[in-house]
Amino acid sequence: MAIDLWITDQNLTVQGDPLAGWRDLTATQKHREPGSGTVTLTAYPEVMAQLRPGNRLVVVRDRQIWMAGPMEVPQDYEWDLDSNADPGVVTVSFTDDLALVAGRLTYPEPGKTWEAQTKTSDVMRTLTGRGEVIVRQLVDENCGPGALATRRIPRLVLAPDSGAGTMRTLTTRMEPLLDAVRTIAVPDDLGFRTRQVGDQIVFEVFQPRDLTGSARFSAGLGNLRKVRFTLSAPTATSELVMGGDDPTQQAGEGEPANQRAYTEVLSGAQADWYRVEKLVQASGKDNAAGELTQEGILALGNDNPTASLETETVDTEDLRAGRDYGLGDTVAVVLPTGLTITDVVRSIQLDADGADEGETVTAVIGNSDTTTSASLVSTVRDLAYRLGRVEARG
């Protein structure tokens, strides 16, 4: 495999020859968020001259751009008399161009400059349409060709509408642009990314694929490297909701005394674990229309058992990232217990040392963050149960 590193300016103009003397390259693509990477370079003068603020680093793998975007730390230089020969080394930290999109806020009136925004009231920006249309409009009017000249990202264009998403409505005002984009993208399971194509940065929305029938990982296939899961007890199984009048407010003359309302909402997890009580304050509400019950249900959503599940895979000749599957796609993982799980590709990482000793591409499938998702908790419980049976048989 051949990897080349290039430096461009903000307008994607190449600044010199490919970077020489590089090693320890890591470039990680991420689903619905900017990628990240680092590379260590020998600090040759011609290399240092290219590592300027505002310039971009482009990682080319087998003549295809793997990642391209601005250098966040263009120069982290080190020289040591004992360990580093002249001229020293410099480490570069970079991201992809989606970070430029992430650097914008949603203007309430994107057609006006900041100073010209309406001053008499808090204006909200409301968009209604198909999910992809809303995402494209948000990006276009805040940093794309349709944005004010001072807010445009150089060379950024929008890919053609692919027809993805369902009808939705978004109200936003001065929030991070990618937060607003995710609000629309996640319910429709849409992905979004930037790609350098020629002399343009293309922002595109896409519908991830279900590849569970063709993209499979297992120890037997030689492409499953690591599995990790956790399962934690609930923080509450009995939500004791207390509503009614606000006790800090005294009843006026002739008014009835403050009245309280009480409702208990139980979790089904109590049968599996144990009883843990938690007080939920809901002053000013009663349960005539089920308000207290709803408060208890919402509280259980945060207090249910938590689970995390993460698997790490590696490229093989038969199944390669970028060719056979990509970010956001749903793939299948056959665990050592025999249990098959399906989940989303969250990140894909390229590691190379630059010394012709090969490269490694790994994908993280699943989410290492804890969640109270009932389906994931159930999967992890099933996994733990099967592991226990294996150990018992051993």
Side-chain angles (χ1 to χ4, degrees):
M1 302 296 176
I3 295 177
D4 290 317
L5 307 180
W6 298 82
I7 299 295
T8 77
D9 64 12
Q10 294 181 7
N11 290 306
L12 280 59
T13 301
V14 174
Q15 297 299 288
D17 295 329
L19 297 178
W22 65 266
R23 53 195 177 276
D24 299 329
L25 169 69
T26 297
T28 306
Q29 304 170 354
K30 299 179 182 179
H31 186 40
R32 298 196 188 112
E33 61 179 299
S36 62
T38 61
V39 64
T40 300
L41 304 157
T42 302
Y44 298 127
E46 61 271 22
V47 169
M48 299 296 288
Q50 297 186 52
L51 305 181
R52 297 172 181 169
N55 281 353
R56 302 165 64 255
L57 191 146
V58 182
V59 179
V60 179
R61 179 188 184 227
D62 295 340
R63 300 183 180 181
Q64 300 291 326
I65 295 178
W66 175 267
M67 181 184 296
M71 295 182 291
E72 297 179 309
V73 183
Q75 295 186 18
D76 184 355
Y77 175 79
E78 181 179 1
W79 178 87
D80 186 285
L81 179 63
D82 296 325
S83 59
N84 291 327
D86 290 335
V89 297
V90 59
T91 300
V92 176
S93 298
F94 59 97
T95 181
D96 63 26
D97 291 309
L98 193 60
L100 301 176
V101 179
R104 300 294 194 272
L105 301 178
T106 57
Y107 271 27
E109 297 171 293
K112 298 180 180 180
T113 65
W114 177 249
E115 292 81 0
Q117 299 291 308
T118 299
K119 301 176 176 61
T120 56
S121 63
D122 289 340
V123 176
M124 301 292 290
R125 180 67 169 149
T126 300
L127 301 174
T128 299
R130 194 166 31 82
E132 181 177 1
V133 173
I134 294 178
V135 170
R136 286 166 48 83
Q137 185 172 349
L138 283 169
V139 172
D140 184 38
E141 65 188 20
N142 285 287
C143 62
L148 297 174
T150 56
R151 303 188 71 208
R152 293 174 193 158
I153 296 173
R155 313 303 300 173
L156 181 68
V157 298
L158 275 65
D161 189 340
S162 68
T166 59
M167 291 298 295
R168 299 197 175 275
T169 297
L170 174 75
T171 300
T172 181
R173 179 180 182 274
M174 296 308 300
E175 67 175 314
L177 178 53
L178 282 194
D179 286 355
V181 167
R182 291 190 194 98
T183 299
I184 293 297
V186 171
D188 277 341
D189 191 29
L190 299 179
F192 52 85
R193 61 194 169 204
T194 55
R195 296 188 298 119
Q196 180 177 333
V197 181
D199 62 352
Q200 293 181 321
I201 299 170
V202 179
F203 176 88
E204 62 182 353
V205 181
F206 64 96
Q207 187 75 63
R209 301 163 295 177
D210 184 348
L211 301 178
T212 52
S214 59
R216 299 178 66 83
F217 300 87
S218 71
L221 293 172
N223 55 16
L224 181 61
R225 171 178 286 186
K226 175 183 175 183
V227 176
R228 181 180 182 182
F229 71 89
T230 62
L231 181 63
S232 302
T235 54
T237 60
S238 171
E239 305 290 354
L240 304 177
V241 188
M242 182 168 62
D245 297 328
D246 187 343
T248 64
Q249 302 295 321
Q250 297 294 325
E253 185 176 350
E255 295 180 350
N258 290 335
Q259 298 292 315
R260 280 295 189 188
Y262 301 92
T263 295
E264 180 180 12
V265 180
L266 292 172
S267 167
Q270 183 167 300
D272 295 325
W273 295 88
Y274 36 77
R275 183 179 178 88
V276 183
E277 299 175 344
K278 178 181 176 181
L279 177 63
V280 178
Q281 298 275 9
S283 296
K285 298 181 179 181
D286 58 37
N287 213 33
E291 289 181 282
L292 298 187
T293 300
Q294 181 63 27
E295 291 290 329
I297 293 173
L298 291 174
L300 281 179
N302 294 322
D303 297 331
N304 275 332
T306 59
S308 67
L309 177 62
E310 178 182 355
T311 66
E312 185 178 293
T313 70
V314 64
D315 260 12
T316 64
E317 287 299 321
D318 295 327
L319 191 60
R320 293 186 60 195
R323 185 191 70 186
D324 303 307
Y325 69 93
L327 291 176
D329 291 337
T330 300
V331 298
V333 181
V334 182
L335 301 176
T337 62
L339 176 67
T340 298
I341 61 171
T342 60
D343 214 323
V344 172
V345 179
R346 304 290 177 181
S347 67
I348 303 174
Q349 179 169 306
L350 168 66
D351 291 291
D353 60 17
D356 296 326
E357 295 184 8
E359 62 183 43
T360 302
V361 176
T362 56
V364 173
I365 300 166
N367 197 342
S368 59
D369 296 332
T370 57
T371 177
T372 57
S373 165
S375 60
L376 181 54
V377 170
S378 176
T379 297
V380 170
R381 285 181 57 195
D382 190 11
L383 176 58
Y385 173 73
R386 294 195 184 197
L387 283 175
R389 290 175 61 89
V390 170
E391 292 176 359
R393 290 198 298 270

